[in-house]
Amino acid sequence: MSEPMTAPTSAGALLQMTGIVKEFPGVRALGGVDLDVRAGEVHCLLGQNGAGKSTLIKVLAAVHQPDEGTIVWDGQEVSLSSPQAALRSGIATIYQELDLVPHLSVAENIFLGHELSTAGFSQRLRANRMARELLTRLGHSEISPTRSVGSLAPAGQQIVSMARALSRDTRLLILDEPSAVLDQEGVANLFRVIRSLTADGVAVVYISHRLEEIRQIGDRITVLKDGRTVATGLPVAETPTPELIKLMTGRAIEYVFPQRPTVAADGEVVLDVQDLSLSGVFSGVNLSVRAGEIVGLAGLVGAGRSEVLETVYGARRASSGTVTVNGRRLPRGSVTASVKAGVGLAPEERKSQGLLLDEAVYRNVTVSSLGAFSRGGFLNRAAEKRRAQELTTSLDVRPSGVTRAVRTLSGGNQQKVVLARWLLRECRVLLLDEPTRGVDVGARTEIYQLVRSLADSGVAVVVVSSEVEEVLGLADRVLVVREGEVVHEAAATDLDESTVLDLVMEGRA
Amino acid sequence: MTDNIPASDETARVEAAAQETTREGTGALAVLNSSVGRNAGLVVALVILCVVGAATAGDRFTSTDNALTILRYAATIGVVSVGMTFVIIGGGIDLSVGAILALSSVWCTTLATQQMAQDSTWLVMVGVALAVGAACGLVNGLLIAYGGVVPFIATLAMLASARGLAEIISNKKTQIVQVPEFIDFFNKEILGVQISIYVFALVAIVGWVLLNRTTFGRRTIAVGGNPEAARLAGINVKWHTVMLYVLLGVCCGIAAVLLIARTSTGSSTHGLLYELEAIAAVVIGGTLLSGGRGTIVGTVFGVLIFSILTNVFVLNNRSQSEQQLLKGAIIVAAVLLQQRLASRNSST
């Protein structure tokens, strides 16, 4: 702190990020982000999914290198070359998925990567003693340093992660949605720990979707939207919730949603879900979708939206409830039966769940309809290629060759290949999980048009998205899911983004 | 997480022009990576081996009789390797093939089976061998697909128990075949080539067609390449996995028949270390151990390379130990090459 500060706004700042830009091929994840964090404060980072929060903390943790912009750390401009360099500088990150080794002991985990040793022999007793000191400092002296980490509850594991951060003389601690794995008591403990850390002068960057938590623990707020900082350094105490939500939403529309049909769909009910439950994840979901209708499920990541879709599809086995398609009840937990009944799923993780990346486009299109191209088990590959070519041409998949590997296509075109697969089957029910994730802005409009025209042709569509705007723009009817329950249902035109955000974050409008 | 290639009009046009070129690249690795190139590499290896054989053993190596000997030896291991190719492409592994072969050979040469064969037809013995192989494969497949046991462990257990059962049934004695029709049929020659060798050729051709031209083959590639995507696309991954192991079990049964015909015996010591030879042949042939990609043609080359290698060593009176040493080195070299090709693939 001895160096003179350069910018006037940075007075007292431990960290000052200015104009950070990070681009990935086809996506501008960060387009100029500013963030300043002071020692001893809890700085909250707010923004919708896709706003760039994760990318920003990865830049800060030096997992990603910024393309533009400056990072001033403790009064000096720095360029952090690797996560290890960030750690050495005193910047520690605790991600949502804790990176602990379950079979090692608490102390071994805490000192992983910088083990205490003499001539190669580990100093177990000293490590245990120091681990106990750290845990006591965090107010959790009841966790034994010799216990294996895998036997701890998620809350305990999080404490171990924090102890690991502290063992490195951390001055800035980044917490990515730390409360997601915790119950109420766990959150209270977490806040106690955070307060004692900030009292010692440690700065905390806190990411959460839950506004009530930010109210309790935060000092200042930075709001991100579409990869840009829209507000920074807002004092928590003086910023009303509606203003925060307004800052998070209200983006400039860069893509267009298709027109809804003027007459509401009054076709027969194609998909009927009654009292569907998956124990421990969601319960009592009712959902019926008519031919030609698009129903959206809005909610936070982890609220159970994707699980609802996967259970309807049979990829997860429901613990109770029924799924009926065209009046026929589907057996529980059988994807094969669902596909036969005319249900298709475009999964959330397109690359790991949806596609055979190294296989040709046509093979990805026909994989669910091989029976239609075979006689006595022998495939007619010419017919396969012809049909796939017709479909991909009509969906404007580019580049157009059906024999190239799917891996070489962009995200939007890969999504079209998945949709072509279900078009080929002429499915009656289409389940779309995050249909535009990893799809660049230009291709989004095309995907939306495609989904709408599918609905117009009589398909019942269910869309899950963590982008509220997408659900509202695309769907006819919206169900809001929060912590495994449907808390609200309304026509999309009767809802606005801030109402839905209120519902998903706080459970009330 | 993000797109590999931006879909701008320009790149789209450029790439559309190069439509059929699915993979670009320069250098020796890229050449080896194309299917033709990879097989060319195997052909080169084969030719080198033959040259070495001819140079060191002369006429004894180049004679037609020797060629047929090599092929007869290759037939047994080759049939197993074709089945193994399917299992490995489907994302699995089977260590129990040698033991299944032994059990099949013992079961179909028991006094009771032979008595039945003598009373009716020698085909009874073939039926028993295939049925025993299929049953063992079914157990493997059910344990792996529905029992959730990892393939390595499930088939390791089968390796131990199948051979154990074979020893119990045969009382550790070699069982001589008393049904001459059986032996005669497989040793009959058409155009100077024994039926056994035709059987291997037939299995390889059927395997190639099955893998490349049928829904079964397409699903095998999908299941091995990305099981989760295959499942969500509506493929019954578990049942398909079971069928893959049954297929390999049947191949072991066929191999047992060929081995019995060659040796006139059934024995619990048949097929020792066949799992090693078969897996090695498959890997040398370019099939990815991680599943999702592989070729029957490559496997056949792999089998021939190993068989010729064995033959050249035997003709030169070199020890079994030296042979094992070299084979080990070849396997490591093949896998190292494969990994370099794989990492290159994922980066394009």
Side-chain angles (χ1 to χ4, degrees):
Chain A
M1 304 292 280
S2 55
E3 292 284 314
M5 301 299 164
T6 45
T9 49
S10 69
L14 175 66
L15 171 80
Q16 171 115 36
M17 299 173 94
T18 318
I20 300 292
V21 172
K22 178 67 195 172
E23 288 182 339
F24 297 107
V27 180
R28 195 175 169 93
L30 297 178
V33 170
D34 303 327
L35 175 71
D36 76 289
V37 182
R38 296 173 191 156
E41 76 163 341
V42 177
H43 197 110
C44 298
L45 207 50
L46 225 77
Q48 295 202 62
N49 289 60
K53 300 182 304 268
S54 303
T55 313
L56 180 62
I57 62 169
K58 281 186 178 154
V59 167
L60 194 46
V63 175
H64 296 322
Q65 303 303 318
D67 297 323
E68 287 172 38
T70 56
I71 301 175
V72 177
W73 171 251
D74 201 5
Q76 283 182 355
E77 186 168 337
V78 290
S79 149
L80 301 166
S81 56
S82 68
Q84 286 72 32
L87 281 171
R88 274 197 300 275
S89 304
I91 301 174
T93 310
I94 297 178
Y95 296 100
Q96 265 168 292
E97 277 79 35
L98 301 173
D99 45 355
L100 297 171
V101 185
H103 297 296
L104 291 183
S105 76
V106 168
E108 283 163 338
N109 266 285
I110 290 174
F111 293 103
L112 197 67
H114 58 132
E115 291 82 359
L116 304 170
S117 63
T118 314
F121 291 95
S122 57
Q123 301 177 314
R124 297 167 57 109
L125 292 177
R126 192 166 144 238
N128 287 345
R129 199 176 60 241
M130 287 177 67
R132 187 170 288 113
E133 281 166 18
L134 286 166
L135 291 165
T136 309
R137 184 177 161 202
L138 291 170
H140 285 268
S141 50
E142 82 283 1
I143 299 176
S144 159
T146 52
R147 216 171 135 181
S148 93
V149 156
S151 69
L152 293 173
Q157 298 190 2
Q158 198 170 54
I159 293 298
V160 175
S161 285
M162 294 178 83
R164 180 199 279 181
L166 292 180
S167 74
R168 291 206 183 241
D169 194 20
T170 294
R171 299 174 60 198
L172 175 68
L173 184 64
I174 304 163
L175 299 169
D176 188 4
E177 300 215 33
S179 58
V181 293
L182 302 178
D183 55 13
Q184 272 192 333
E185 197 189 339
V187 172
N189 275 328
L190 173 70
F191 285 0
R192 228 181 351 260
V193 170
I194 291 178
R195 287 203 186 92
S196 79
L197 288 178
T198 51
D200 291 345
V202 175
V204 174
V205 171
Y206 189 93
I207 297 174
S208 176
H209 280 289
R210 298 182 187 169
L211 288 178
E212 68 264 41
E213 284 177 18
I214 290 171
R215 292 256 170 255
Q216 277 184 53
I217 192 75
D219 294 311
R220 295 192 304 152
I221 301 177
T222 290
V223 183
L224 295 186
K225 192 184 71 184
D226 297 337
R228 286 199 179 78
T229 305
V230 289
T232 187
L234 299 174
V236 167
E238 293 150 39
T239 316
T241 304
E243 193 184 326
L244 284 177
I245 288 182
K246 207 173 106 196
L247 284 167
M248 287 164 67
T249 60
R251 87 179 82 192
I253 306 271
E254 289 161 311
Y255 37 85
V256 193
F257 290 103
Q259 284 267 289
R260 294 190 176 84
T262 42
V263 189
D266 58 351
E268 59 194 297
V269 171
V270 179
L271 173 69
D272 190 37
V273 175
Q274 288 298 324
D275 203 30
L276 195 69
S277 302
L278 182 65
S279 54
V281 185
F282 63 85
S283 61
V285 171
N286 293 304
L287 172 70
S288 72
V289 190
R290 294 176 183 281
E293 196 183 21
I294 303 177
V295 170
L297 294 183
L300 297 175
V301 172
R305 309 156 320 179
S306 299
E307 288 83 355
V308 170
L309 273 201
E310 287 172 11
T311 310
V312 169
Y313 190 56
R316 290 167 187 261
R317 194 185 172 86
S319 43
S320 68
T322 60
V323 177
T324 314
V325 174
N326 281 328
R328 293 236 323 265
R329 202 172 141 177
L330 298 182
R332 272 185 207 156
S334 169
V335 172
T336 317
S338 303
V339 171
K340 276 211 183 89
V343 186
L345 170 76
E348 180 178 11
E349 299 293 336
R350 198 161 41 238
K351 290 183 178 180
S352 65
Q353 299 181 300
L355 293 166
L356 306 160
L357 284 176
D358 290 321
E359 292 292 308
V361 167
Y362 81 91
R363 292 185 174 206
N364 274 282
V365 172
T366 59
V367 66
S368 296
S369 323
L370 288 179
F373 295 101
S374 70
R375 182 169 295 176
F378 286 88
L379 285 167
N380 182 343
R381 293 194 299 165
E384 271 187 85
K385 286 179 193 166
R386 202 164 50 239
R387 274 299 279 146
Q389 187 70 63
E390 285 167 23
L391 279 165
T392 51
T393 307
S394 75
L395 298 185
D396 196 23
V397 174
R398 283 180 294 176
S400 64
V402 292
T403 53
R404 62 165 50 241
V406 161
R407 188 188 286 284
T408 63
L409 300 182
S410 69
N413 286 300
Q414 290 183 347
Q415 184 67 289
K416 288 181 190 171
V417 170
V418 175
L419 291 175
R421 175 188 299 167
W422 301 118
L423 278 177
L424 178 59
R425 267 205 80 89
E426 293 170 359
C427 69
R428 305 292 315 276
V429 177
L430 191 56
L431 310 171
L432 304 173
D433 198 351
E434 303 281 359
T436 59
R437 172 170 296 178
V439 173
D440 54 72
V441 173
R444 281 184 171 214
T445 309
E446 285 181 77
I447 302 268
Y448 295 144
Q449 296 285 0
L450 184 58
V451 171
R452 176 52 75 183
S453 65
L454 276 170
D456 289 345
S457 72
V459 176
V461 181
V462 182
V463 178
V464 157
S465 175
S466 38
E467 289 179 41
V468 173
E469 195 188 352
E470 181 168 288
V471 178
L472 290 179
L474 190 58
D476 300 306
R477 198 149 49 83
V478 174
L479 276 64
V480 180
V481 186
R482 182 183 151 88
E483 284 166 13
E485 279 179 53
V486 176
V487 292
H488 193 73
E489 178 174 352
T493 46
D494 294 343
L495 289 166
D496 59 37
E497 221 177 326
S498 52
T499 317
V500 175
L501 269 180
D502 265 351
L503 281 164
V504 301
M505 287 183 169
E506 308 199 56
R508 58 189 158 76
Chain B
M1 230 174 80
T2 51
D3 310 331
N4 287 329
I5 291 173
S8 75
D9 282 37
E10 198 181 340
T11 49
R13 238 178 283 123
V14 170
E15 297 199 354
Q19 243 185 60
E20 296 305 308
T21 324
T22 46
R23 217 163 259 123
E24 298 129 72
T26 50
L29 276 176
V31 174
L32 279 175
N33 200 16
S34 68
S35 67
V36 177
R38 185 162 40 213
N39 287 340
L42 291 169
V43 171
V44 169
L46 208 56
V47 168
I48 292 173
L49 257 177
C50 289
V51 169
V52 171
T56 54
D59 288 348
R60 286 182 301 140
F61 179 79
T62 52
S63 70
T64 318
D65 273 355
N66 189 50
L68 289 175
T69 308
I70 293 172
L71 284 174
R72 272 187 95 190
Y73 174 81
T76 325
I77 198 77
V79 170
V80 175
S81 301
V82 168
M84 185 70 85
T85 309
F86 278 87
V87 165
I88 291 180
I89 292 177
I93 193 86
D94 192 338
L95 304 178
S96 63
V97 287
I100 294 176
L101 190 154
L103 181 59
S104 281
S105 80
V106 164
W107 204 313
C108 94
T109 53
T110 57
L111 286 177
T113 317
Q114 294 207 42
Q115 189 62 53
M116 273 167 67
Q118 277 165 345
D119 291 348
S120 49
T121 160
W122 56 271
L123 285 169
V124 170
M125 291 172 65
V126 176
V128 168
L130 300 196
V132 170
C136 292
L138 185 68
V139 172
N140 275 340
L142 290 174
L143 277 174
I144 290 160
Y146 292 94
V149 183
V150 294
F152 187 88
I153 296 300
T155 59
L156 192 64
M158 178 60 78
L159 177 153
S161 8
R163 207 173 282 282
L165 184 57
E167 287 175 356
I168 292 170
I169 293 174
S170 66
N171 205 13
K172 294 194 181 182
K173 290 195 174 75
T174 302
Q175 303 177 158
I176 313 272
V177 178
Q178 316 274 14
V179 185
E181 297 91 335
F182 180 97
I183 308 288
D184 291 347
F185 177 82
F186 288 99
N187 292 321
K188 204 184 298 169
E189 293 184 1
I190 300 176
L191 303 172
V193 179
Q194 287 107 342
I195 298 273
S196 300
I197 296 168
Y198 287 107
V199 171
F200 170 40
L202 189 68
V203 167
I205 291 167
V206 169
W208 186 90
V209 171
L210 193 61
L211 183 63
N212 296 296
R213 292 288 182 268
T214 69
T215 53
F216 184 85
R218 187 68 63 76
R219 288 187 179 136
T220 303
I221 294 166
V223 166
N226 188 341
E228 178 68 358
R231 185 175 82 102
L232 292 180
I235 294 173
N236 192 335
V237 173
K238 288 185 174 175
W239 184 241
H240 194 88
T241 303
V242 173
M243 284 299 110
L244 288 173
Y245 284 94
V246 171
L247 175 75
L248 176 51
V250 171
C251 286
C252 292
I254 298 172
V257 169
L258 298 183
L259 193 59
I260 294 167
R262 201 174 82 203
T263 60
S264 300
T265 60
S267 162
S268 58
T269 59
H270 277 345
L272 274 174
L273 286 184
Y274 266 37
E275 57 281 352
L276 175 88
E277 300 242 339
I279 293 169
V282 172
V283 171
I284 288 172
T287 295
L288 289 186
L289 268 178
S290 51
R293 183 173 295 179
T295 68
I296 298 292
V297 175
T299 296
V300 171
F301 274 117
V303 170
L304 292 178
I305 287 174
F306 258 36
S307 306
I308 294 175
L309 192 71
T310 307
N311 183 257
V312 171
F313 268 83
V314 170
L315 292 181
N316 286 304
N317 295 322
R318 306 313 290 257
S319 71
Q320 178 86 10
S321 321
E322 287 172 318
Q323 207 183 105
Q324 301 288 10
L325 187 65
L326 187 60
K327 281 184 180 174
I330 290 176
I331 295 170
V332 171
V335 173
L336 284 176
L337 185 64
Q338 197 184 74
Q339 281 169 350
R340 295 196 56 189
L341 295 176
S343 67
R344 203 186 158 79
N345 270 353
S346 54
S347 65
T348 45

